[in-house]
Amino acid sequence: MPSVDRMDPRALEVARACKGFLDEEEGMRLHDLARECAPIGPIVEIGSYCGKSSVYVGAGTKAGGGTLLCVDHHRGNEEQQPGELYHDPDLFDPEQGAMDSLRIIRRTLRDAGLEDTALLLVSSSTAAARLVTVPLGMVFIDGGHSFEAAQTDYERWAGKVAHGGILAIHDLFPNPDEGGQAPITIYRQAIASELFDELPTTKTLGVLRRR
Ligand code: MG
């Protein structure tokens, strides 16, 4: 287990209890990166779901005196739809006939004391990217895991990372038997672009620094 003393204890408790797919060691790495990058520019997270990673990133952003923008349409990604592997019936709203994780993340951020730091943008990645034109301290890509979705996130957001800022990508699986290959595909593209330096990974979290 990583040392977690450096994270706000209330936020850590909320992050641990929150639904989601993020290992604590990865979460703490994101926390530390966000704290370091917050002075460079705003932090953006693509794919927030119920807010587990938003709390790690948000607590780090708050400690660094910055702002986090949590981008998600809150309708679930392709793997979270009814009948799919990661579907959670608690998040399905029968009245709308759709997934809705927005009400959950609002509570998560409130409980974690992050309502003034982590701002919710209920939007597709593409629409949000049209709005955000300032150089960013960090971009964390953890949205849709289809090749199309990951490629879109990479193309729309990687170029917005400020010099010295961080591009982090979740769910890298070098062995195809262990997981989908879309995230690692865009990670390799980022390296091939020669715009980024590769930093050590934490489990499935890839970390690149913009030159
Ligand atoms: Mg993920």
Side-chain angles (χ1 to χ4, degrees), residues 3-40:
S3 167
V4 293
D5 305 347
R6 55 198 189 274
M7 182 164 165
D8 173 67
R10 171 183 170 192
L12 180 62
E13 195 179 315
V14 172
R16 282 176 168 164
C18 186
K19 283 179 198 282
F21 311 93
L22 187 76
D23 178 271
E24 185 160 290
E25 207 174 317
E26 296 172 336
M28 288 308 300
R29 180 82 187 280
L30 288 168
H31 169 273
D32 295 349
L33 288 166
R35 184 170 53 188
E36 177 200 326
C37 294
I40 301 173

Side-chain angles (χ1 to χ4, degrees), residues 44-141:
V44 170
E45 170 181 78
I46 309 298
S48 300
Y49 193 47
C50 297
K52 193 179 189 76
S53 60
S54 316
V55 173
Y56 286 106
V57 177
T61 302
K62 187 176 180 178
T67 299
L68 166 65
L69 191 60
C70 302
V71 176
D72 198 311
H73 45 55
H74 290 289
R75 296 305 186 193
N77 71 20
E78 65 284 342
E79 298 170 305
Q80 294 163 343
Q81 302 308 314
E84 301 298 326
L85 184 60
Y86 294 105
H87 179 65
D88 182 340
D90 292 347
L91 299 179
F92 188 79
D93 180 347
E95 280 184 31
Q96 298 181 80
M99 296 289 290
D100 186 357
S101 48
L102 179 60
R103 62 204 162 90
I104 309 290
I105 194 173
R106 287 200 77 197
R107 174 179 293 188
T108 302
L109 295 175
R110 181 179 175 84
D111 290 349
L114 291 170
E115 284 186 306
D116 289 332
T117 300
L119 314 182
L120 297 173
L121 182 51
V122 182
S123 167
S124 70
S125 168
T126 297
R130 286 197 290 266
L131 189 70
V132 177
T133 55
V134 292
L136 301 173
M138 177 166 108
V139 171
F140 172 45
I141 296 180

